[in-house]
Amino acid sequence: LGMSENSLPKVLGYETGTEMKLGSSLLMNVALWALHAQSELVYVGDEGVVETNNPTKRLGVDFGLRYQFLQNFFADLDINYNHGRLVGEPKGDNYLPLAPTVTSTGGLQYKQVKGFNAGLRYRYMASKPAIEDNSIRTREYMVWDLSVLHKASKVDYGFTIENLFNTDWNQAQFNTLSRLKNETSPVEELHFTPGTKFFFKASISYKF
């Protein structure tokens, strides 16, 4: 079926999965999925427009764990894998630019209704293609955050540290043509927004 200029592409999706409780403290879930899109909408930053691309297909698996190993201690883990390709393009030139491949989040938490609460969490993004032939790839990163909070009847106080280990990472990443003043022709390369450095924030709140 053809697409009009302003229509959204049709997407057909499938999913199957299961959720299991192993013992009294461990919860696990697994899901297999597929997406077939009539077209891929691609934002062109230099022109400020959205273009349509070829049909695409994605196959993936999502895996999650939730574990309570002590009365107030909890751990969680989520891992997602995605294999995405452009349909109708030659092999090797059919990668999906900027489509995530492997992502993961997880951490440890100590929870109480009153008293100290704390959490140590991470987020991970694997390297991914930035162009259809996979010749330019984004940079992978893993960033850790720490939060500590004391809850009382009237006053809560605590602090948050973003990027606990001061990791050098890229946030937004795009393959873009650019040309410096001393260059005779544009260069196609990875452009990025630097990720937040080590950041400490304290907080206090009072309940009326």
Side-chain angles (χ1 to χ4, degrees):
L1 296 176
M3 290 182 59
S4 65
E5 184 178 352
N6 297 316
S7 64
L8 290 174
K10 294 181 180 179
V11 178
L12 180 63
Y14 313 87
E15 182 178 350
T16 183
T18 184
E19 185 172 297
M20 297 174 287
K21 188 173 183 181
L22 306 175
S24 60
S25 302
L26 180 62
L27 185 67
M28 182 179 73
N29 62 77
V30 180
L32 303 175
W33 55 269
L35 287 176
H36 297 270
Q38 183 185 17
S39 178
E40 194 82 6
L41 297 179
V42 180
Y43 178 70
V44 183
D46 290 341
E47 300 178 17
V49 298
V50 175
E51 295 180 345
T52 58
N53 209 329
N54 282 17
T56 62
K57 64 178 181 180
R58 290 176 170 86
L59 303 174
V61 57
D62 300 335
F63 175 77
L65 286 175
R66 303 290 183 270
Y67 181 56
Q68 182 179 2
F69 52 91
L70 289 174
Q71 181 177 357
N72 299 104
F73 283 94
F74 303 86
D76 65 273
L77 172 70
D78 290 293
I79 300 176
N80 314 99
Y81 171 74
N82 166 46
H83 177 84
R85 292 293 186 267
L86 290 165
V87 177
E89 293 293 335
K91 186 176 181 180
D93 291 317
N94 61 342
Y95 289 85
L96 277 176
L98 303 181
T101 54
V102 178
T103 61
S104 181
T105 61
L108 301 172
Q109 289 184 300
Y110 177 75
K111 295 182 179 180
Q112 292 190 107
V113 177
K114 288 186 178 182
F116 280 101
N117 291 259
L120 177 64
R121 303 196 57 77
Y122 78 88
R123 59 188 185 277
Y124 171 76
M125 176 78 72
S127 176
K128 53 190 175 181
I131 191 172
E132 287 83 355
D133 65 5
N134 199 30
S135 61
I136 301 175
R137 296 183 61 87
T138 65
R139 182 183 179 188
E140 73 171 355
Y141 66 80
M142 177 181 282
V143 179
W144 292 82
D145 300 324
L146 173 68
S147 62
V148 176
L149 178 67
H150 183 272
K151 293 183 177 181
S153 57
K154 289 292 184 179
V155 179
D156 295 346
Y157 58 89
F159 66 87
T160 300
I161 299 177
E162 297 181 11
N163 196 356
L164 177 64
F165 302 110
N166 200 28
T167 302
D168 183 18
W169 65 291
N170 296 343
Q171 193 168 33
Q173 305 181 75
F174 301 94
N175 174 54
T176 306
L177 277 172
S178 64
R179 186 175 67 180
L180 299 177
K181 186 177 181 180
N182 62 335
E183 294 176 334
T184 58
S185 59
V187 177
E188 190 173 24
E189 58 187 350
L190 191 69
H191 289 222
F192 62 90
T193 301
T196 304
K197 294 289 188 179
F198 179 95
F199 181 77
F200 178 88
K201 179 175 65 176
S203 64
I204 185 169
S205 60
Y206 179 78
K207 304 182 188 71
F208 293 96

